[in-house]
Amino acid sequence: MAELPQPRLWGLWVVLLSAAVLTLGFVAKDLPGFTTNEFTVDQELSRNHDGFLTAVAMLINSVFSPAGGVVIIALTCVFLLVVRKSPVNAVAFGAVSAAGWLSSQFFKAIVERQRPNPALLFDPLAPETGSNSFPSGHVALAVGLAWAVFFLARNTRWARLAAVLGILVPVVVACSRVYVGVHYPSDVIASFLAATAAVVLVAAVWNRYQGSILPRIPLLGRFGPVAPAADSVHS
């Protein structure tokens, strides 16, 4: 991960993806009837909960929670740093996954959309209130991790599996958040765009600066060689 895939005109991609997130967020929040129509999906799912699906959704609710996200990212970074002795991969994995995840907090603060009202659900599984519905942090975490895992595996025999799981897992997490009743469909859709925008931005910054910054951190050198400056990769 000394070099990360970086699209051409990456800045334009960041702007367009971010604009799409904000447009969707303000339309969902302010357009009359939009939220009401979306909420019918949450209500319909709430009336038809299944024991197995509920168990899976609640497991996802815990695994991809803020605490779960910290544990997943921290343990993976420690594994890459200590066991694999790859400080570059450890820092890059942490930066990419955390950026994708934290992108949700940035857009939440701007849009401030109210969560679905649990009092109007037939079977609220994890009642939450507040103005932090858009976009979903759980889904943003899943997307950030998916990109980080794919970048880590892209030149190995695990690349195809990482790509498949990188699509499948975030989609399952997204569906679970609507199933639980804590997000609207547009919340989870926006998370894919928001997290990807953050990953594109971090990849560009990483390719530009990691070679000059990481070698100056003495602690990283104890675990293995730190990559020199690398040219940007375009894909």
Side-chain angles (χ1 to χ4, degrees):
M1 296 177 77
E3 295 178 307
L4 299 178
Q6 176 186 327
R8 296 185 184 276
L9 302 176
W10 63 267
L12 180 61
W13 278 105
V14 172
V15 170
L16 291 176
L17 288 169
S18 299
V21 174
L22 291 175
T23 300
L24 179 57
F26 287 122
V27 167
K29 179 183 175 183
D30 298 328
L31 186 66
F34 193 102
T35 292
T36 301
N37 291 333
E38 279 201 295
F39 190 53
T40 60
V41 177
D42 295 76
Q43 290 177 314
E44 186 62 26
L45 290 172
S46 183
R47 293 189 185 96
N48 296 280
H49 283 161
D50 171 82
F52 173 75
L53 293 179
T54 296
V56 172
M58 296 310 294
L59 177 62
I60 291 173
N61 183 62
S62 298
V63 172
F64 290 89
S65 66
V70 170
V71 170
I72 292 171
I73 295 173
L75 288 180
T76 305
C77 290
V78 169
F79 172 79
L80 292 172
L81 183 63
V82 177
V83 178
R84 301 295 296 179
K85 299 191 183 308
S86 178
V88 172
N89 285 349
V91 176
F93 184 93
V96 170
S97 55
W101 180 20
L102 295 177
S103 67
S104 66
Q105 300 302 315
F106 174 78
F107 290 105
K108 283 177 188 290
I110 297 175
V111 176
E112 295 186 327
R113 187 187 193 187
Q114 293 294 321
R115 285 186 181 271
N117 187 348
L120 300 179
L121 294 174
F122 180 78
D123 181 24
L125 297 174
E128 291 189 44
T129 58
S131 59
N132 60 343
S133 186
F134 184 97
S136 165
H138 283 63
V139 180
L141 170 60
V143 175
L145 286 170
W147 278 116
V149 170
F150 176 71
F151 289 164
L152 191 64
R154 73 187 189 280
N155 293 321
T156 72
R157 57 181 177 143
W158 303 105
R160 181 171 297 181
L161 177 61
V164 171
L165 292 179
I167 296 172
L168 181 61
V169 172
V171 168
V172 171
V173 174
C175 292
S176 76
R177 301 310 287 160
V178 181
Y179 179 89
V180 170
V182 293
H183 283 289
Y184 301 100
S186 58
D187 294 342
V188 299
I189 292 172
S191 297
F192 287 86
L193 305 178
T196 299
V199 169
V200 171
L201 175 60
V202 165
V205 174
W206 173 264
N207 290 339
R208 175 66 179 84
Y209 294 108
Q210 70 85 12
S212 60
I213 293 177
L214 295 189
R216 300 179 183 179
I217 304 177
L219 177 63
L220 296 182
R222 294 173 53 191
F223 296 94
V226 178
D231 294 331
S232 296
V233 176
H234 299 280
S235 63

